């Protein structure tokens, strides 16, 4: 473990339809827009560590790559290289969050991960990326 790493600062998703994906993460998941630029939306996850807000960045696929020499294909909705990413929730909120997502008619899969005592909700965003809402639950054995 690297003792200098304190938290995950940012996750960025390349997207085809920025407005549709932004609406999912704001209206369904409940994140707030922190800042927007042309082709980019930064969504606040939490206050984070040391003044660095934890965020999800949504970048339109047309934006240049951080390494300009790297060629990039268009985003293909039928496949993604992202397996999934997770946001932590409180164990006491798990049932209410599941019920809220079901009321919104979002397809949800629930899983108990015995090896680490995590309880998870999995949902898909409009472009097929999988988001996990996860909490620690000592009752899972």
């Amino acid at each position: 473990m690297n003792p200098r790493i304190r938290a995950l600062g940012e996750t960025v998703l390349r997207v085809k339809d920025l407005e549709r994906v932004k609406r999912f993460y704001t209206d369904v998941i409940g994140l707030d827009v922190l800042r927007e630029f042309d082709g980019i939306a930064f969504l606040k996850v939490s206050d984070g560590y040391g003044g660095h807000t934890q965020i999800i960045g949504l970048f339109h696929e047309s934006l240049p790559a951080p390494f300009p020499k790297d060629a990039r294909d268009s985003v293909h909705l039928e496949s993604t290289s992202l397996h999934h990413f997770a946001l932590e929730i409180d164990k006491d909120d798990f049932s209410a969050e599941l019920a809220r997502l079901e009321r919104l008619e979002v397809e949800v899969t629930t899983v108990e991960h015995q090896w680490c005592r995590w309880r998870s909700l999995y949902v898909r965003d409009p472009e097929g990326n999988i988001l996990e809402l996860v909490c620690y639950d000592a009752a899972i054995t």
Side-chain angles (χ1 to χ4, degrees):
M1 183 173 104
N2 182 339
R4 291 180 293 280
I5 296 174
R6 304 291 184 205
L8 180 65
E10 175 183 63
T11 296
V12 173
L13 301 174
R14 289 181 69 229
V15 300
K16 270 188 142 6
D17 188 336
L18 180 62
E19 287 304 312
R20 184 172 179 221
V21 176
K22 181 179 75 172
R23 278 193 310 275
F24 173 82
Y25 283 98
T26 56
D27 296 349
V28 175
I29 301 304
L31 301 180
D32 292 326
V33 174
L34 182 65
R35 187 106 187 237
E36 292 186 82
F37 301 95
D38 190 29
I40 299 173
F42 289 112
L43 309 174
K44 181 178 180 178
V45 175
S46 72
D47 289 333
Y49 177 81
H52 184 287
T53 305
Q54 291 182 345
I55 61 175
I56 295 174
L58 305 176
F59 286 42
H60 189 267
E61 68 178 346
S62 64
L63 294 174
F67 297 94
K69 293 181 183 178
D70 293 350
R72 282 198 162 166
D73 291 334
S74 294
V75 173
H76 300 283
L77 300 185
E78 65 278 359
S79 66
T80 176
S81 62
L82 175 71
H83 184 277
H84 76 277
F85 67 100
L87 301 176
E88 290 182 67
I89 61 173
D90 192 281
K91 178 181 66 119
D92 293 339
D93 294 331
F94 186 89
S95 295
E97 190 62 14
L98 174 60
R100 187 184 71 80
L101 290 167
E102 288 174 337
R103 275 193 311 276
L104 292 171
E105 299 182 356
V106 174
E107 181 182 2
V108 181
T109 298
T110 61
V111 178
E112 289 184 1
H113 302 282
Q114 292 180 337
W115 72 274
C116 55
R117 296 182 172 176
W118 289 354
R119 186 177 306 278
S120 299
L121 303 168
Y122 292 93
V123 298
R124 282 190 197 94
D125 76 14
E127 295 196 0
N129 298 300
I130 299 172
L131 169 63
E132 175 185 8
L133 301 175
V134 63
C135 63
Y136 178 79
D137 186 346
I140 296 174
T141 58

